[in-house]
Amino acid sequence: MEERVAEDLRAALGPLGFEVHAFKVGWYNAVLQPVFHLPYSDDTLAYVVLSTPSMFDKALKPFVNKERLKTIRDPVDQCVSHHLALLREKFPDQKVDIIFDYEILPSRRPKFLAQTAAHVAGAAYYYQRKDVKLDPWGKKKIYGVCIHPKYGGWFAIRAVLIFPDIQVPFLEQSAPVDCVSTEEKRIELLEQFSFHWQNGRYRDIIEVKEKYSEEQIIYFTTPPSERFKLLGLTQEGQ
Protein backbone atom coordinates (compact mmCIF):
# COMPACT_ATOMS: atom_id res chain seq x y z
CA MET A 1 0.00 0.00 0.00
CA GLU A 2 2.73 2.47 0.95
CA GLU A 3 4.54 1.94 -2.36
CA ARG A 4 1.40 2.64 -4.35
CA VAL A 5 0.62 5.77 -2.33
CA ALA A 6 4.22 6.97 -2.72
CA GLU A 7 4.10 6.45 -6.48
CA ASP A 8 0.88 8.45 -6.77
CA LEU A 9 2.24 11.26 -4.60
CA ARG A 10 5.50 11.50 -6.52
CA ALA A 11 3.69 11.42 -9.86
CA ALA A 12 1.49 14.33 -8.73
CA LEU A 13 4.04 16.44 -6.88
CA GLY A 14 7.41 15.60 -8.46
CA PRO A 15 6.78 17.55 -11.69
CA LEU A 16 5.88 20.58 -9.55
CA GLY A 17 9.22 20.61 -7.71
CA PHE A 18 8.17 18.83 -4.51
CA GLU A 19 9.65 15.80 -2.74
CA VAL A 20 7.79 13.39 -0.47
CA HIS A 21 9.34 11.06 2.11
CA ALA A 22 7.44 8.43 4.09
CA PHE A 23 7.54 7.92 7.85
CA LYS A 24 5.53 6.28 10.60
CA VAL A 25 3.92 8.59 13.12
CA GLY A 26 5.52 6.47 15.86
CA TRP A 27 9.02 7.40 14.67
CA TYR A 28 8.16 11.07 15.02
CA ASN A 29 6.43 10.75 18.38
CA ALA A 30 9.25 8.61 19.80
CA VAL A 31 11.77 11.48 19.70
CA LEU A 32 9.50 14.21 21.06
CA GLN A 33 7.85 15.11 24.35
CA PRO A 34 4.16 14.10 24.55
CA VAL A 35 3.00 17.71 24.14
CA PHE A 36 4.29 17.61 20.54
CA HIS A 37 2.92 14.18 19.58
CA LEU A 38 0.72 13.70 16.55
CA PRO A 39 -2.59 12.11 17.67
CA TYR A 40 -2.41 8.95 15.59
CA SER A 41 -1.37 5.36 16.23
CA ASP A 42 2.33 4.54 15.89
CA ASP A 43 2.03 2.61 12.61
CA THR A 44 0.06 5.33 10.80
CA LEU A 45 1.52 6.24 7.39
CA ALA A 46 2.67 9.84 6.92
CA TYR A 47 4.77 11.82 4.46
CA VAL A 48 6.81 14.96 4.82
CA VAL A 49 6.57 17.31 1.82
CA LEU A 50 9.57 19.42 0.77
CA SER A 51 9.77 22.14 -1.86
CA THR A 52 12.96 22.04 -3.93
CA PRO A 53 14.52 24.97 -5.82
CA SER A 54 12.55 24.16 -8.98
CA MET A 55 9.18 24.63 -7.22
CA PHE A 56 9.39 28.39 -7.82
CA ASP A 57 9.25 28.01 -11.61
CA LYS A 58 7.29 24.76 -11.85
CA ALA A 59 4.52 25.48 -9.34
CA LEU A 60 4.52 29.01 -7.90
CA LYS A 61 4.73 31.13 -11.05
CA PRO A 62 2.14 29.09 -12.98
CA PHE A 63 -0.17 29.18 -9.94
CA VAL A 64 0.12 32.96 -9.64
CA ASN A 65 -0.56 33.42 -13.35
CA LYS A 66 -3.62 31.18 -13.15
CA GLU A 67 -4.97 32.84 -9.99
CA ARG A 68 -4.22 36.38 -11.11
CA LEU A 69 -7.85 37.52 -10.98
CA LYS A 70 -8.54 35.95 -7.58
CA THR A 71 -7.49 36.95 -4.07
CA ILE A 72 -3.80 36.35 -3.40
CA ARG A 73 -2.63 36.70 0.20
CA ASP A 74 0.56 34.65 0.59
CA PRO A 75 1.42 33.28 -2.86
CA VAL A 76 3.70 30.45 -1.66
CA ASP A 77 1.39 29.21 1.11
CA GLN A 78 -1.62 29.37 -1.20
CA CYS A 79 0.24 27.58 -3.99
CA VAL A 80 1.32 24.73 -1.69
CA SER A 81 -2.15 24.50 -0.15
CA HIS A 82 -3.77 24.39 -3.60
CA HIS A 83 -1.63 21.55 -4.90
CA LEU A 84 -1.82 19.46 -1.72
CA ALA A 85 -5.59 19.88 -1.52
CA LEU A 86 -5.82 18.45 -5.05
CA LEU A 87 -4.18 15.28 -3.76
CA ARG A 88 -7.41 14.28 -2.06
CA GLU A 89 -8.85 13.67 -5.52
CA LYS A 90 -6.05 11.14 -6.11
CA PHE A 91 -7.13 9.18 -3.04
CA PRO A 92 -10.96 9.21 -3.10
CA ASP A 93 -11.15 6.13 -0.85
CA GLN A 94 -8.65 7.38 1.73
CA LYS A 95 -8.79 10.01 4.44
CA VAL A 96 -5.87 12.42 4.02
CA ASP A 97 -5.03 14.87 6.82
CA ILE A 98 -2.79 17.77 5.78
CA ILE A 99 -0.85 19.87 8.29
CA PHE A 100 1.02 22.87 6.90
CA ASP A 101 4.28 24.20 8.28
CA TYR A 102 2.72 27.57 9.16
CA GLU A 103 -0.21 26.19 11.19
CA ILE A 104 -0.19 26.76 14.94
CA LEU A 105 -2.26 25.61 17.89
CA PRO A 106 -4.14 28.02 20.23
CA SER A 107 -1.15 27.67 22.57
CA ARG A 108 1.00 29.18 19.75
CA ARG A 109 2.92 25.93 19.36
CA PRO A 110 3.33 24.70 15.78
CA LYS A 111 1.01 21.83 14.84
CA PHE A 112 4.05 19.78 13.89
CA LEU A 113 7.81 20.18 14.17
CA ALA A 114 8.88 20.31 10.55
CA GLN A 115 12.59 19.62 10.97
CA THR A 116 11.99 16.61 13.20
CA ALA A 117 9.58 15.18 10.63
CA ALA A 118 12.13 15.65 7.85
CA HIS A 119 14.82 13.92 9.92
CA VAL A 120 12.80 10.83 10.93
CA ALA A 121 11.59 10.47 7.32
CA GLY A 122 15.19 10.42 6.09
CA ALA A 123 14.62 13.52 3.96
CA ALA A 124 17.18 15.86 5.51
CA TYR A 125 19.52 15.67 8.51
CA TYR A 126 18.45 17.85 11.44
CA TYR A 127 21.70 19.18 12.91
CA GLN A 128 21.39 20.34 16.50
CA ARG A 129 23.60 21.43 19.33
CA LYS A 130 23.78 17.86 20.62
CA ASP A 131 25.52 16.84 17.38
CA VAL A 132 28.61 18.85 18.41
CA LYS A 133 30.82 17.00 20.88
CA LEU A 134 32.84 19.97 22.18
CA ASP A 135 30.19 22.65 22.61
CA PRO A 136 31.84 26.10 22.24
CA TRP A 137 28.76 28.25 22.90
CA GLY A 138 28.26 28.32 26.66
CA LYS A 139 24.91 29.93 27.48
CA LYS A 140 24.20 31.18 23.94
CA LYS A 141 20.98 30.05 22.26
CA ILE A 142 21.78 27.76 19.34
CA TYR A 143 19.14 26.81 16.79
CA GLY A 144 19.13 23.55 14.83
CA VAL A 145 18.74 23.35 11.07
CA CYS A 146 18.05 20.68 8.45
CA ILE A 147 20.47 20.12 5.58
CA HIS A 148 19.44 18.20 2.46
CA PRO A 149 22.11 15.98 0.85
CA LYS A 150 21.36 17.39 -2.62
CA TYR A 151 20.11 20.93 -1.94
CA GLY A 152 21.98 21.84 1.25
CA GLY A 153 19.84 24.56 2.82
CA TRP A 154 18.14 25.50 -0.47
CA PHE A 155 14.78 23.86 0.22
CA ALA A 156 11.80 24.21 2.55
CA ILE A 157 9.63 21.83 4.57
CA ARG A 158 6.04 22.62 3.63
CA ALA A 159 3.68 20.08 5.18
CA VAL A 160 2.99 16.58 6.40
CA LEU A 161 0.37 14.32 4.84
CA ILE A 162 -1.18 11.74 7.16
CA PHE A 163 -3.20 8.72 6.06
CA PRO A 164 -5.05 7.75 9.30
CA ASP A 165 -6.54 4.57 7.85
CA ILE A 166 -3.30 3.16 6.43
CA GLN A 167 -1.15 1.24 8.89
CA VAL A 168 2.39 0.26 7.86
CA PRO A 169 3.89 -1.85 10.68
CA PHE A 170 6.65 -3.18 8.41
CA LEU A 171 7.80 0.12 6.91
CA GLU A 172 11.60 0.36 7.29
CA GLN A 173 13.12 3.61 8.44
CA SER A 174 15.79 5.26 6.30
CA ALA A 175 18.35 7.36 8.16
CA PRO A 176 18.93 10.85 6.78
CA VAL A 177 22.26 11.40 5.03
CA ASP A 178 24.81 12.86 7.44
CA CYS A 179 26.31 15.22 4.88
CA VAL A 180 27.88 17.66 7.38
CA SER A 181 30.01 15.05 9.05
CA THR A 182 32.92 16.96 10.60
CA GLU A 183 32.83 18.74 13.94
CA GLU A 184 34.28 21.90 12.39
CA LYS A 185 31.62 22.08 9.68
CA ARG A 186 28.78 21.41 12.14
CA ILE A 187 29.96 24.25 14.35
CA GLU A 188 30.18 26.54 11.31
CA LEU A 189 26.69 25.51 10.19
CA LEU A 190 25.01 26.08 13.55
CA GLU A 191 26.79 29.40 14.07
CA GLN A 192 25.88 30.65 10.60
CA PHE A 193 22.24 29.63 11.06
CA SER A 194 21.89 30.88 14.65
CA PHE A 195 23.67 34.23 14.27
CA HIS A 196 23.80 35.09 10.54
CA TRP A 197 20.85 33.29 8.95
CA GLN A 198 19.87 36.38 6.94
CA ASN A 199 22.91 36.13 4.65
CA GLY A 200 22.01 32.55 3.73
CA ARG A 201 25.60 31.26 3.88
CA TYR A 202 24.52 28.28 5.98
CA ARG A 203 22.64 27.00 2.91
CA ASP A 204 25.96 26.33 1.14
CA ILE A 205 27.60 24.40 3.98
CA ILE A 206 27.94 21.53 1.50
CA GLU A 207 28.39 21.56 -2.27
CA VAL A 208 24.87 21.60 -3.65
CA LYS A 209 23.53 20.20 -6.93
CA GLU A 210 20.86 22.89 -7.26
CA LYS A 211 20.01 26.12 -5.47
CA TYR A 212 17.50 28.95 -5.69
CA SER A 213 17.71 31.09 -8.81
CA GLU A 214 18.68 34.75 -8.47
CA GLU A 215 15.03 35.69 -9.08
CA GLN A 216 13.93 33.33 -6.30
CA ILE A 217 16.55 34.62 -3.84
CA ILE A 218 15.40 38.20 -4.48
CA TYR A 219 11.79 37.13 -3.94
CA PHE A 220 12.39 35.41 -0.59
CA THR A 221 14.69 38.15 0.72
CA THR A 222 12.18 40.89 -0.15
CA PRO A 223 9.76 41.92 2.64
CA PRO A 224 6.45 40.04 2.17
CA SER A 225 4.45 43.20 1.53
CA GLU A 226 6.72 44.05 -1.43
CA ARG A 227 6.81 40.59 -3.03
CA PHE A 228 3.59 41.06 -4.96
CA LYS A 229 5.09 43.40 -7.53
CA LEU A 230 7.92 40.93 -8.15
CA LEU A 231 5.29 38.45 -9.35
CA GLY A 232 3.47 41.10 -11.34
CA LEU A 233 0.64 41.30 -8.79
CA THR A 234 -1.17 44.19 -7.19
CA GLN A 235 -1.87 44.19 -3.46
CA GLU A 236 -5.61 44.67 -3.80
CA GLY A 237 -6.34 41.18 -2.51
CA GLN A 238 -3.66 41.16 0.16
Side-chain angles (χ1 to χ4, degrees):
M1 174 64 81
E2 187 279 323
E3 292 178 359
R4 190 164 75 250
V5 172
E7 285 179 8
D8 288 345
L9 289 176
R10 289 178 181 129
L13 296 177
L16 297 169
F18 294 99
E19 280 186 3
V20 294
H21 298 262
F23 67 97
K24 293 201 295 187
V25 167
W27 302 344
Y28 174 90
N29 288 348
V31 297
L32 293 171
Q33 298 172 350
V35 70
F36 294 110
H37 285 187
L38 294 172
Y40 303 88
S41 63
D42 283 352
D43 289 333
T44 302
L45 177 63
Y47 291 86
V48 65
V49 181
L50 312 180
S51 62
T52 72
S54 66
M55 185 276 288
F56 191 81
D57 285 325
K58 291 180 176 179
L60 179 63
K61 289 163 76 173
F63 170 79
V64 167
N65 286 332
K66 184 179 179 183
E67 301 293 311
R68 190 172 295 278
L69 300 178
K70 300 180 184 178
T71 300
I72 295 286
R73 294 179 298 276
D74 184 299
V76 173
D77 287 349
Q78 286 177 267
C79 172
V80 173
S81 175
H82 168 77
H83 287 297
L84 296 192
L86 289 177
L87 289 176
R88 291 194 169 101
E89 298 174 10
K90 303 277 186 187
F91 303 97
D93 301 323
Q94 295 292 343
K95 186 171 189 285
V96 186
D97 291 342
I98 305 173
I99 310 175
F100 295 98
D101 66 301
Y102 52 81
E103 291 187 275
I104 58 174
L105 297 164
S107 63
R108 307 297 295 171
R109 279 196 303 271
K111 286 192 173 182
F112 81 102
L113 300 184
Q115 300 200 105
T116 300
H119 186 95
V120 300
Y125 200 106
Y126 183 23
Y127 290 97
Q128 302 176 72
R129 189 172 192 155
K130 64 183 177 62
D131 294 307
V132 173
K133 293 172 184 172
L134 299 174
D135 187 322
W137 297 297
K139 294 182 178 180
K140 291 180 181 177
K141 177 72 173 176
I142 299 296
Y143 297 94
V145 61
C146 274
I147 295 296
H148 190 287
K150 181 177 179 181
Y151 306 116
W154 300 99
F155 76 103
I157 305 160
R158 298 296 181 185
V160 291
L161 309 174
I162 301 168
F163 292 79
D165 300 326
I166 301 180
Q167 301 297 298
V168 285
F170 302 111
L171 185 66
E172 294 187 7
Q173 187 169 13
S174 298
V177 178
D178 181 3
C179 48
V180 187
S181 55
T182 69
E183 181 93 345
E184 182 182 28
K185 278 291 185 183
R186 289 181 180 185
I187 289 172
E188 180 185 349
L189 169 65
L190 295 178
E191 287 191 346
Q192 284 293 332
F193 185 69
S194 296
F195 308 129
H196 311 288
W197 64 267
Q198 295 96 331
N199 66 27
R201 282 179 53 192
Y202 76 90
R203 299 178 188 270
D204 288 311
I205 195 68
I206 63 170
E207 187 173 338
V208 300
K209 294 186 170 72
E210 188 180 350
K211 63 169 66 177
Y212 292 175
S213 63
E214 191 64 32
E215 178 187 18
Q216 193 171 172
I217 292 172
I218 291 171
Y219 178 83
F220 284 117
T221 54
T222 297
S225 63
E226 298 174 22
R227 291 176 181 174
F228 288 81
K229 57 190 176 187
L230 296 178
L231 294 173
L233 298 170
T234 66
Q235 290 180 271
E236 293 171 3
Q238 190 177 355

